Amino acid sequence: MANTKPKEASIGLRAKTGRAIAVVLSMPAGAPRFIRRTELSLTDPAVPATGQPYHVVMELPWGEATIAVRKINAKIEIIASKALARLVREVESEGLIVRSVGIAGAGNRDLEKIGSTHIRAHAAEGVLFRHALEVAAAHNKLSCRAFDERTIDDIAGADLKRPLAEVKNHLAEMGRIAGSPWRADEKAAATAAWLALAGRARK
């Protein structure tokens, strides 16, 4: 009898302000197969502040700004959770099963020490949207691995136990299958998905 067990898939997300680039890969973890590429909206058009929440309050002292964005932040987390749930349903309708999410985004930093309020708003939003995706993964009961966008390539080379050039070649092959666009954002999302798959395979 043929094995009808669904093949496991992973969703990689590149967190951006107000959106996330998503790439879906499936097992085997050693040489994952490209499934699809899409984009998740993390904003509510009826609530413009969900697009750049910290810009709305960037003239406030930092402590007050972090309090002022709490309600909007909670709304973004709900939007992200619903968007991820929809993507999971779409992927699983193709006979796959999603167990994990990899997220590439802004790394944690001491935001209060950033002198420029405008630069700080951008940096804070990078962290906020990455965290919203982590909350979405937890809400959807998916294992999650989050990566700093600045170091994910180095992590991939070490974690996947293969030369970084080989990882990049496999990502380039995925890009040929996916077609344009296949930019740094898509590559980061694919890398995050691959790392999430690898983490699951070791369990």
Side-chain angles (χ1 to χ4, degrees):
M1 182 181 292
N3 184 1
T4 59
K5 183 179 178 180
K7 183 173 288 188
E8 188 167 323
S10 178
I11 296 172
L13 300 169
R14 170 63 170 97
K16 307 283 285 185
T17 299
R19 61 197 177 98
I21 308 300
V23 173
V24 183
L25 304 180
S26 74
M27 289 287 195
R33 184 168 65 94
F34 172 83
I35 302 298
R36 67 158 66 184
R37 171 193 55 226
T38 189
E39 184 173 306
L40 305 184
S41 173
L42 306 178
T43 65
D44 181 349
V47 186
T50 56
Q52 290 185 306
Y54 275 100
H55 276 70
V56 178
V57 298
M58 69 180 179
E59 299 306 325
L60 293 176
W62 177 243
E64 293 179 28
T66 59
I67 294 170
V69 300
R70 284 178 182 171
K71 287 185 178 179
I72 292 298
N73 186 23
K75 187 170 186 63
I76 291 169
E77 289 173 356
I78 292 170
I79 294 168
S81 296
K82 290 180 177 179
L84 182 57
R86 283 193 297 271
L87 179 55
V88 170
R89 287 196 299 271
E90 290 170 5
V91 172
E92 294 191 339
S93 71
E94 299 175 12
L96 298 164
I97 185 163
V98 179
R99 296 292 192 203
S100 57
V101 174
I103 301 167
N108 292 324
R109 54 193 299 193
D110 191 345
L111 297 168
E112 189 172 7
K113 290 186 176 180
I114 299 176
S116 166
T117 56
H118 192 232
I119 292 174
R120 184 170 64 193
H122 278 292
E125 285 158 3
V127 173
L128 184 154
F129 282 102
R130 187 213 72 216
H131 183 258
L133 292 171
E134 292 176 35
V135 170
H139 182 81
N140 284 281
K141 297 180 173 57
L142 300 170
S143 68
C144 176
R145 298 185 71 188
F147 307 95
D148 188 325
E149 62 196 359
R150 297 167 298 183
T151 59
I152 190 170
D153 285 348
D154 294 334
I155 293 170
D159 200 80
L160 298 173
K161 294 180 173 54
R162 61 184 65 200
L164 184 55
E166 186 178 327
V167 174
K168 289 182 178 293
N169 286 340
H170 195 70
L171 291 170
E173 180 58 30
M174 288 183 197
R176 284 189 282 273
I177 294 168
S180 183
W182 191 256
R183 304 154 297 194
D185 287 337
E186 284 78 13
K187 291 174 185 176
T191 302
W194 192 352
L195 287 166
L197 270 181
R200 287 280 305 170
R202 285 194 292 269
K203 291 182 179 180

